[in-house]
Amino acid sequence: MPPPPLAKPSPESSSAPPAPRRNRRLDLIAVVTALALAVWVTSGLWGAPNQRAITVNSSDQALFEWLLAFGAHALTHGENPLLTYLMNVPDGVNLAVNTSITVYAVVFAPLTYLIGPPATFLVILTLNLAATALAWYWLLSRHLLRSPLAALIGGLFIGFAPGMVSHANAHLNWSAGWLVPILVWWVLRLRQPGRWLRNGLVLGVLIAVAFSIAAEGLFFTALALGVFCGVWALTPSRRAEVRAALPDFLRGLGIAGATAFVLLSYPLWLHFFGPQRFHGTGFDPIIHAEDIAAYGAFPQRSLAGALGWDTSLAPNPTEENSFLGIPLLLLTIGCFVLLWRHADAGRRATLRALGVTALTFTVLSWGPRMKIFGEHTDVPLPYALLGKLPVVNAALPSRLALVVAPLVGLLLAYAVDQLVANRPQRRPVRLGWAAAFALALIPLLPTPLLTVEREPIPRFITSGTWREYVSPGGVLTPLPLTLDVTPDGQRWQAYALSHRQGEFAIPSGFFLGPGGPDGRGRIGPVPRYTDAVLLRAAETGIVPTITNADRAEARADLRYWRVEVVVLADQVHGAKFPVHTEALRQTATELFGPPERVEDVWLWRVPPA
């Protein structure tokens, strides 16, 4: 993540940055360009946000839509926004250990009720991308650079870097990159003499907001700032400045920590000590580690990807966390050399800290064992030790690469700032730098996210007919049961909650909860007999042989889940595979008996025990 402003040398130094200049025309260009690019990336959803889904990650899209609907419902009904029993009956779900985006859910609650969760999800996703670019542009143009053009290039690159576009595949948390430059600037303000109380309080509130939107991103930002500030402070040329600023900085940091702790005390208690907690994560850190070759590869959703130059070096299309391309890597090295050659001792301290931070997070992103061109090796890496630490073991190592892109963007912006201030005399040199930037950045221009038609929510739900078959707060289960691969149940719930129809609970759900190996988390609850059989039929299209013992097991599962009615829609959305609804209906009929037809669904009533 970014540095404090490059140290200001003596006035006679050619590298001394004067106060940044405001350029209102360029400010307008920045706003229009950022919004246009954000709408361009998400354009596949804008035509019909309620009917379309992001192709490669419709499951996370359904989850975030549910979080928006549930958060709005919890706010208006006085319910706990961080703990719910509407999913995973009877155990419930601890949303504090999930990505609950509580701040978004509260702030956008009126919009969720007005236009629905899918459209609100799209608005937030689009604003996230635009705001990230504009927040970096603001930090660079107002506080770090002389040239507004350099700030525009840096801000747009960071805001639409390959990792950001990749996580725009339905990740409302990771696409909220606008939080980082704001956090960074307030950390830097802690150095102001005599302002430690005010700056600490503001930073504490910002930390609480960031935790509620993207806790993992907040953790990475803190780590990166720690590495950067540590390297910068240990530079001999900065010692006097560090000694002068350290008392106010530490006081402000203490106030920020205390403020954040007070605001987050309950979420943190839930996270570490509450019901349905777990440690670590359900994802394999070896699989979710960055391939070394991925740094020089091109991403799928880019101009290079559209030309067929992309690769499949990421574990999935939402985790292309580096993918900078070889031209940009070479340009970054060239920019670093350019800046180093023109820097005095103070500025080199900042460049050194930038370089060390970038290399540190690059190596850590490679995970516990080296992987290159898709081949796993037995060569151990530093993350093998760090990955066992608490909190660190809950993060995916490949996402540490997301720290590198802003550092690259800063170097690019500083280099442009240097070139604008000290324009090269020879025309071939100027043209050479312009060509280098074009060759490195044009292939990374983003292309729209892939989208697909999503199966509609059945009329049985949208008309409110479900209320005739489910008691208030009772349990309805769709078929197949709700999971990340079959998220319809949460879509149905989100519709009912956001349209003020009332509450129904579901037995399963897409969430992280306990039950993984060695006490780690897993996606969804531990499967029982009935949901496993129904999911297998839905995925394979094969109707299994059902015995009386199977029927008794199914009745026991329905009693355990307190299910009142089982529902199968004519069209079921499968996030990873097409759902075989006819095989599912036949299997459910063998287990539960003949269904009845109600509006556009098949329905099985479950008699009380």
Side-chain angles (χ1 to χ4, degrees):
M1 300 304 176
L6 287 180
K8 294 184 180 181
S10 58
E12 64 271 12
S13 170
S14 63
S15 60
R21 300 191 304 269
R22 293 194 64 177
N23 186 320
R24 295 188 182 278
R25 179 178 295 179
L26 211 59
D27 289 350
L28 180 60
I29 292 174
V31 172
V32 171
T33 305
L35 285 172
L37 282 172
V39 171
W40 165 250
V41 170
T42 59
S43 58
L45 295 172
W46 277 101
N50 291 315
Q51 285 80 47
R52 299 198 66 80
I54 294 173
T55 304
V56 300
N57 202 11
S58 60
S59 52
D60 274 9
Q61 180 178 344
L63 170 61
F64 281 110
E65 290 171 0
W66 182 89
L67 287 166
L68 292 171
F70 173 73
H73 176 79
L75 175 68
T76 55
H77 289 74
E79 297 184 10
N80 190 338
L82 297 175
L83 185 67
T84 181
Y85 291 93
L86 292 180
M87 283 196 299
N88 194 33
V89 176
D91 298 317
V93 177
N94 184 341
L95 295 176
V97 294
N98 284 264
T99 306
S100 54
I101 58 166
T102 313
V103 169
Y104 276 164
V106 171
V107 171
F108 286 91
L111 192 64
T112 300
Y113 280 125
L114 180 65
I115 63 177
T120 304
F121 164 87
L122 175 56
V123 169
I124 297 174
L125 179 61
T126 305
L127 290 178
N128 268 350
L129 293 172
T132 299
L134 292 174
W136 281 106
Y137 170 75
W138 163 81
L139 179 63
L140 291 168
S141 65
R142 298 301 188 266
H143 303 292
L144 303 184
L145 301 179
R146 296 163 292 192
S147 166
L149 175 62
L152 180 62
I153 292 173
L156 290 177
F157 169 76
I158 299 172
F160 295 92
M164 283 293 298
V165 175
S166 174
H167 282 280
N169 283 296
H171 287 168
L172 291 189
N173 53 341
W174 278 109
S175 60
W178 56 270
L179 289 162
V180 177
I182 297 174
L183 284 167
V184 166
W185 180 238
W186 280 97
V187 169
L188 301 182
R189 287 176 68 90
L190 296 179
R191 301 180 302 168
Q192 289 183 325
R195 300 291 185 89
W196 54 270
L197 179 59
R198 185 201 65 177
N199 290 337
L201 288 171
V202 173
L203 179 60
V205 172
L206 289 173
I207 290 171
V209 170
F211 181 90
S212 301
I213 294 176
E216 194 176 356
L218 173 65
F219 178 55
F220 288 179
T221 303
L223 288 178
L225 279 169
V227 173
F228 176 88
C229 292
V231 174
W232 187 84
L234 291 174
T235 303
S237 62
R238 299 290 94 197
R239 286 176 183 170
E241 185 178 346
V242 170
R243 280 196 297 268
L246 193 58
D248 283 306
F249 184 87
L250 292 179
R251 291 189 192 102
L253 199 61
I255 292 296
T259 303
F261 180 79
V262 170
L263 294 174
L264 297 173
S265 55
Y266 178 65
L268 289 172
W269 178 85
L270 273 179
H271 191 284
F272 292 105
F273 306 105
Q276 294 295 294
R277 66 187 181 275
F278 56 90
H279 68 81
T281 179
F283 299 96
D284 189 336
I286 294 177
I287 295 175
H288 288 272
E290 199 73 351
D291 193 304
I292 293 176
Y295 277 88
F298 289 115
Q300 294 184 23
R301 306 316 307 155
S302 67
L303 180 59
L307 295 174
W309 299 347
D310 58 312
T311 64
S312 56
L313 295 176
N316 59 68
T318 64
E319 298 291 342
E320 291 184 332
N321 296 310
S322 57
F323 290 79
L324 300 173
I326 290 177
L328 180 55
L329 295 181
L330 295 176
L331 176 63
T332 303
I333 295 172
C335 290
F336 188 90
V337 172
L338 169 73
L339 292 167
W340 188 270
R341 288 179 59 189
H342 290 84
D344 63 1
R347 180 167 289 197
R348 285 185 175 184
T350 297
L351 291 172
R352 184 181 296 109
L354 277 174
V356 170
T357 307
L359 289 174
T360 299
F361 279 82
T362 297
V363 173
L364 290 177
S365 74
W366 295 339
R369 295 207 304 264
M370 183 182 294
K371 178 174 63 173
I372 185 165
F373 292 110
E375 296 294 327
H376 293 270
T377 72
D378 294 325
V379 179
L381 294 171
Y383 189 87
L385 298 175
L386 295 178
K388 298 177 182 179
L389 298 175
V391 183
V392 178
N393 63 7
L396 299 183
S398 67
R399 291 179 176 175
L400 291 165
L402 294 170
V403 173
V404 179
L407 298 173
V408 169
L410 284 166
L411 286 172
L412 298 181
Y414 280 131
V416 174
D417 196 50
Q418 180 74 38
L419 291 168
V420 170
N422 302 304
R423 187 179 182 185
Q425 296 295 322
R426 290 177 293 177
R427 190 163 180 260
V429 174
R430 299 197 301 270
L431 293 177
W433 277 107
F437 271 83
L439 288 173
L441 298 181
I442 289 176
L444 298 178
L445 289 174
T447 56
L449 305 175
L450 298 176
T451 60
V452 65
E453 285 287 333
R454 184 163 55 174
E455 285 72 12
I457 297 174
R459 192 167 60 254
F460 175 77
I461 297 294
T462 60
S463 67
T465 304
W466 64 269
R467 289 175 292 193
E468 301 173 17
Y469 299 86
V470 183
S471 61
V475 182
L476 174 155
T477 184
L479 295 184
L481 273 72
T482 304
L483 287 171
D484 57 323
V485 292
T486 52
D488 275 356
Q490 278 169 268
R491 293 178 58 214
W492 298 4
Q493 262 192 345
Y495 186 94
L497 294 175
S498 62
H499 287 76
R500 297 182 175 88
Q501 291 182 347
E503 295 180 353
F504 64 81
I506 57 176
S508 188
F510 176 22
F511 61 91
L512 290 178
D518 303 322
R520 296 196 300 271
R522 58 166 287 121
I523 297 176
V526 177
R528 298 176 69 87
Y529 165 80
T530 305
D531 50 342
V533 168
L534 292 168
L535 182 62
R536 195 176 308 118
E539 183 175 4
T540 64
I542 300 173
V543 179
T545 301
I546 301 297
T547 66
N548 285 332
D550 297 326
R551 296 183 182 96
E553 190 78 22
R555 288 194 296 271
D557 286 344
L558 293 177
R559 285 196 296 270
Y560 173 80
W561 291 321
R562 307 170 191 163
V563 172
E564 297 179 12
V565 63
V566 178
V567 178
L568 172 62
D570 291 336
Q571 301 178 66
V572 179
H573 179 70
K576 304 298 181 184
F577 53 80
V579 174
H580 296 86
T581 54
E582 182 56 30
L584 195 54
R585 186 178 67 83
Q586 293 180 34
T587 304
T589 300
E590 290 293 322
L591 286 172
F592 311 132
E596 56 183 293
R597 186 70 175 174
V598 179
E599 292 199 0
D600 55 346
V601 301
W602 296 101
L603 186 144
W604 291 263
R605 301 180 196 236
V606 180

